[in-house]
Amino acid sequence: MNNLKIRAAVDHDLAVLQKFEQGIISAERPFNSSLKVEDICYYDIAQLIQGPESIVIVAEENAVLVGSGYARIKQSKAYLKHDKHGYLGFMFVAPSHRGCGINQLIIEALVSWGKAQGLTAFYLDAYADNAPALKAYEKIGFKASLIEMKLTQA
């Protein structure tokens, strides 16, 4: 990991980032039986790369992408102290590079970008049963604040 770079994604990265997205979806399918069976997409990655109120950060080792994440500026609920917040998503680290602190470096870069935009609050979503993800986010300082409950009836 001596040659690891954390940088903003560019349009040229799109094909690899779309593969990362499918990796995320595959990892999350066991946690959400409501996901469609056919191919799906969570993100408009090109828009996140190009948008003025978002950034995609990638981790690159020896010119190969090994991780990703995005931050997007979102309007906060009217009852919160902050008008806007940073929403983080698209967290992916290649299986060969997990456990090396790459996710933390990506999140630090996303939060740094958000702070430069004037943000002081940051949120992300994780499945309640995804213990490894929850542990990783808690290690960085995130705390559960709201749990979404779901009832599915046939």
Side-chain angles (χ1 to χ4, degrees):
M1 288 217 338
N2 293 337
N3 295 320
L4 187 71
K5 286 193 231 175
I6 304 297
R7 63 170 176 83
V10 295
D11 291 337
H12 179 74
D13 298 324
L14 192 55
V16 174
L17 293 174
Q18 288 169 331
K19 289 179 185 174
F20 284 3
E21 178 182 28
Q22 293 310 306
I24 292 167
I25 292 166
S26 293
E28 290 182 349
R29 280 192 190 281
F31 302 113
N32 189 345
S33 62
S34 295
L35 292 177
K36 292 179 180 178
V37 176
E38 64 268 12
D39 288 342
I40 59 173
C41 292
Y42 286 165
Y43 316 107
D44 183 341
I45 301 168
Q47 177 61 35
L48 290 166
I49 290 171
Q50 299 166 3
E53 297 209 328
S54 61
I55 188 170
V56 177
I57 295 289
V58 294
E60 178 182 72
E61 184 179 50
N62 299 320
V64 175
L65 297 186
V66 297
S68 66
Y70 81 74
R72 185 167 44 119
I73 299 172
K74 291 184 76 171
Q75 190 67 39
S76 298
K77 304 280 186 187
Y79 52 79
L80 295 175
K81 292 179 181 178
H82 48 275
D83 294 328
K84 294 185 177 189
H85 64 271
Y87 179 81
L88 309 183
F90 192 37
M91 301 302 178
F92 180 82
V93 175
S96 59
H97 287 72
R98 292 182 184 156
C100 299
I102 292 173
N103 190 52
Q104 182 171 348
L105 294 172
I106 291 169
I107 289 176
E108 287 171 358
L110 294 170
V111 169
S112 179
W113 174 85
K115 286 180 176 180
Q117 309 306 308
L119 303 175
T120 58
F122 299 87
Y123 295 83
L124 56 75
D125 292 326
Y127 284 102
D129 292 335
N130 190 346
L134 296 174
K135 183 178 176 184
Y137 298 137
E138 288 169 350
K139 185 177 177 181
I140 296 168
F142 282 88
K143 294 181 176 150
S145 65
L146 180 67
I147 297 177
E148 178 182 78
M149 304 289 288
K150 177 176 89 171
L151 172 65
T152 304
Q153 297 182 333

